[in-house]
Amino acid sequence: AQKITQTQPGMFVQEKEAVTLDCTYDTSDPSYGLFWYKQPSSGEMIFLIYQGSYDQQNATEGRYSLNFQKARKSANLVISASQLGDSAMYFCAMREGPGNTPLVFGKGTRLSVIA
Amino acid sequence: AAGVIQSPRHLIKEKRETATLKCYPIPRHDTVYWYQQGPGQDPQFLISFYEKMQSDKGSIPDRFSAQQFSDYHSELNMSSLELGDSALYFCASSPDRGSYNEQFFGPGTRLTVL
């Protein structure tokens, strides 16, 4: 079974608008972490934001926020005030258990920001 | 701030040749991970090392091996290369800070097998 599901292969957003990228996850481990990474066409993997399973508040990092709904097992990424430079592939990933366990990635969502 | 260093950045090999990819983690990071990302695919975990010992193993082919050295750098050795090995290979490192361990990715090595 897919552990991380990203149902939007591609998304378009107007510059300066907000956009939500969906991510649902599947785990039976009570301790887990959820990550979002941005991968521009150049290929590097850029860390954006992290949410731990025991965190009470939704994570925020600048224009990025994570809408964490634990009961629904969803961890959607919200990008506010989109910029042309936000056009990239976005991956949701999960680490199960505490410590240094490997990441499992979703298939990604390609975001295109339109001027 | 120091980042994860990978070398080479690009590598072209023929089928059945061997390749060695190198990774230098961020200083004081004690865990190294290797991921493989095929064209248009999501990254897949290959193998990881903690304090120079293998800690987790993913979908790493038997033709591949890896190790972490005393200075914490890691090498991924790939033998009998196949066309399907063409991919972007990422190394990531993370510190041991308890339950929150962000993984910092290197720029990747793009391997092309002809």
Side-chain angles (χ1 to χ4, degrees):
Chain A
Q2 194 77 356
K3 286 189 174 282
I4 295 286
T5 303
Q6 294 181 254
T7 57
Q8 307 151 314
M11 290 278 286
F12 289 89
V13 65
Q14 202 77 31
E15 199 178 4
K16 299 186 181 66
E17 297 291 311
V19 63
T20 298
L21 306 184
D22 295 341
C23 172
T24 57
Y25 59 92
D26 182 26
T27 181
S28 56
D29 197 318
S31 176
Y32 54 90
L34 297 157
F35 300 77
W36 277 92
Y37 286 86
K38 172 185 177 181
Q39 187 175 41
S41 57
S42 52
E44 69 263 37
M45 197 70 76
I46 302 167
F47 167 77
L48 296 178
I49 197 166
Y50 165 85
Q51 181 84 42
S53 59
Y54 296 118
D55 293 343
Q56 295 296 313
Q57 296 193 340
N58 287 344
T60 60
E61 287 285 350
R63 293 187 299 111
Y64 304 107
S65 61
L66 201 151
N67 184 0
F68 182 46
Q69 298 189 43
K70 197 168 182 177
R72 294 186 178 184
K73 292 190 174 180
S74 76
N76 298 339
L77 176 71
V78 181
I79 305 175
S80 63
S82 297
Q83 302 171 357
L84 295 177
D86 294 334
S87 294
M89 183 70 94
Y90 288 80
F91 288 100
C92 179
M94 177 173 65
R95 169 187 54 74
E96 290 180 281
N100 291 337
T101 54
L103 296 176
V104 176
F105 287 82
K107 298 298 182 188
T109 295
R110 183 168 298 282
L111 177 67
S112 300
V113 181
I114 306 165
Chain B
V4 177
I5 297 171
Q6 291 188 248
S7 68
R9 294 292 307 277
H10 301 272
L11 191 57
I12 299 175
K13 290 286 185 178
E14 299 277 341
K15 275 192 332 184
R16 292 180 287 279
E17 285 191 323
T18 61
T20 297
L21 309 186
K22 295 186 178 182
C23 169
Y24 297 85
I26 293 171
R28 291 179 296 281
H29 282 198
D30 47 23
T31 304
V32 167
Y33 312 79
W34 286 97
Y35 294 87
Q36 177 194 56
Q37 186 179 27
Q41 304 294 314
D42 53 294
Q44 295 290 318
F45 169 67
L46 293 178
I47 196 167
S48 62
F49 294 87
Y50 172 69
E51 284 290 343
K52 291 156 279 184
M53 299 287 289
Q54 181 184 308
S55 57
D56 284 290
K57 196 171 184 180
S59 51
I60 183 169
D62 292 340
R63 299 177 289 108
F64 294 6
S65 65
Q67 58 182 320
Q68 187 178 29
F69 295 85
S70 57
D71 64 352
Y72 291 95
H73 94 273
S74 178
E75 294 184 4
L76 178 66
N77 299 293
M78 311 159 71
S79 63
S80 303
L81 286 169
E82 301 174 355
L83 296 178
D85 296 329
S86 294
L88 189 54
Y89 289 84
F90 286 106
C91 171
S93 72
S94 65
D96 185 4
R97 287 202 295 250
S99 60
Y100 171 28
N101 292 315
E102 176 190 331
Q103 291 187 21
F104 295 84
F105 281 73
T109 293
R110 191 171 295 279
L111 172 66
T112 303
V113 181
L114 303 176

